[in-house]
Amino acid sequence: SISSFFGSCARVCRRIASMKLNIAYPPTGCQKKLEIDDDSKLRAFFDKRVAAEVEGEALGEEFKGYIFKIMGGQDKQGFAMKQGVLTNTRVRLLMSPGDQGFRGYGRRDGERRRKSVRGCIVSTDLSVLNLVIVKKGEQELPGLTDEEKPRMRGPKRASKIRKLFNLTKDDDVRKYVNTYRRSFETKAGKKHSKAPKIQRLITPLTLQRKRRLASLKKAGLEKSKSQAADYHKLLVQRLKEQRERRSESLAKKRALRQASVASKDAAPAK
């Protein structure tokens, strides 16, 4: 009947409109998942692109004053959104290894493959939408902005550790790595702690190695210059000796020629 037809259409529309929102708040390190079934709440996200900002008041009064940034999403088949693909459908693109959506492990050099990706425009076909809070609102969100989770892992590079803790070059970076040191227990019951090894850390040993390499390079340049000068000196001497030997051989040949001419001239006089 007509009523059952419209009822099934309404159920399909409701099923299409349901979407999961992964909301992250980087200052606290928390993340929360919301499942929205109301089409009127999701309408604010439709036809928006990746990296667009959306006011959170559309999701409810508790999100008043919040501003979300769309970071990506996946459709119901698991294909991720790709920035720069200006469509709300799924397309097949010719990709090279290293492109977003194509890792390219085990491929030949220069090999390209055609892969399916979802466009960067939000539509009803998405099942998951990733959001990041760029501006906090008036109320606290339980489990998202009211608590702070410690960092599981932190940066390894010395300059990034200084940037994280707002340090100067005079501060010792090694003391601040212990703030995200992890403690765990092995199967045997022993307790261990682990912290990242600091990369690009300038220590007296690294400065000494740098000075040694510079001195070796300088000594090598001086040695090559002295060897080049000695070779040039030896080459000049060898060329001089060669010219002297040639001049001597030419003088001998000239003397023999003159002697033979003189003997020929003196033979009829006898």
Side-chain angles (χ1 to χ4, degrees):
S1 63
I2 297 176
S3 60
S4 63
F5 173 74
F6 282 110
S8 63
C9 289
R11 285 195 299 272
V12 169
C13 291
R14 282 198 298 270
R15 189 166 59 249
I16 290 176
S18 73
M19 189 181 297
K20 294 178 183 178
L21 301 180
N22 285 331
I23 305 174
Y25 189 51
T28 60
C30 295
Q31 185 174 345
K32 192 173 183 180
K33 183 179 73 173
L34 300 176
E35 189 163 358
I36 308 297
D37 295 330
D38 192 357
D39 190 22
S40 61
K41 293 182 179 181
L42 295 174
R43 196 173 293 124
F45 297 95
F46 291 154
D47 296 331
K48 294 286 193 306
R49 298 182 185 177
V50 173
E53 294 184 356
V54 182
E55 293 185 0
E57 193 174 357
L59 297 178
E61 288 295 327
E62 65 271 17
F63 295 98
K64 186 176 181 181
Y66 282 86
I67 295 179
F68 300 119
K69 184 178 180 180
I70 301 174
M71 303 301 292
Q74 291 180 338
D75 60 6
K76 294 177 175 60
Q77 286 75 33
F79 292 96
M81 299 174 69
K82 184 176 175 63
Q83 178 68 290
V85 183
L86 301 179
T87 181
N88 57 359
T89 59
R90 194 188 308 164
V91 295
R92 288 175 60 82
L93 301 178
L94 194 63
M95 295 186 183
S96 299
D99 291 345
Q100 179 188 355
F102 181 50
R103 288 175 293 182
Y105 293 138
R107 306 296 182 194
R108 298 178 62 185
D109 292 341
E111 182 179 356
R112 297 192 294 172
R113 287 290 179 94
R114 196 169 291 278
K115 307 290 285 186
S116 295
V117 294
R118 172 67 58 176
C120 68
I121 300 176
V122 180
S123 65
T124 57
D125 297 327
L126 296 180
S127 63
V128 180
L129 193 64
N130 302 324
L131 305 175
V132 169
I133 298 175
V134 294
K135 183 182 177 182
K136 189 178 177 182
E138 302 172 357
Q139 302 179 9
E140 296 283 347
L141 298 178
L144 192 60
T145 60
D146 58 347
E147 61 180 77
E148 186 172 351
K149 289 187 177 180
R151 293 174 64 101
M152 183 70 178
R153 290 179 177 84
K156 296 180 67 177
R157 192 180 302 176
S159 60
K160 294 189 176 181
I161 296 173
R162 290 192 186 96
K163 183 179 179 181
L164 176 65
F165 294 101
N166 197 15
L167 304 176
T168 61
K169 290 190 175 181
D170 298 330
D171 296 325
D172 191 3
V173 181
R174 290 169 288 188
K175 296 179 182 178
Y176 293 87
V177 180
N178 295 324
T179 56
Y180 45 88
R181 179 181 288 273
R182 291 188 296 134
S183 299
F184 58 94
E185 190 173 346
T186 60
K187 294 181 179 179
K190 293 183 180 181
K191 293 184 178 180
H192 291 281
S193 64
K194 184 183 290 187
K197 181 183 176 184
I198 302 175
Q199 304 293 326
R200 302 186 186 181
L201 181 64
I202 299 175
T203 59
L205 184 60
T206 57
L207 294 175
Q208 181 184 353
R209 287 174 179 167
K210 190 175 180 180
R211 288 194 298 269
R212 180 175 174 272
L213 291 174
S215 64
L216 289 175
K217 186 177 180 181
K218 186 177 179 181
L221 289 174
E222 292 178 354
K223 184 179 179 181
S224 62
K225 283 183 180 180
S226 63
Q227 287 179 349
D230 293 341
Y231 175 74
H232 182 68
K233 186 178 179 181
L234 181 62
L235 184 63
V236 170
Q237 183 181 355
R238 294 286 173 82
L239 291 175
K240 185 178 179 181
E241 292 176 357
Q242 186 178 0
R243 284 196 299 269
E244 289 177 355
R245 286 196 301 270
R246 181 172 174 79
S247 61
E248 288 177 1
S249 64
L250 289 175
K252 286 181 181 179
K253 288 180 180 179
R254 196 178 297 112
L256 290 174
R257 195 180 299 114
Q258 289 176 358
S260 63
V261 170
S263 61
K264 286 180 181 178
D265 292 340
K270 291 180 180 181

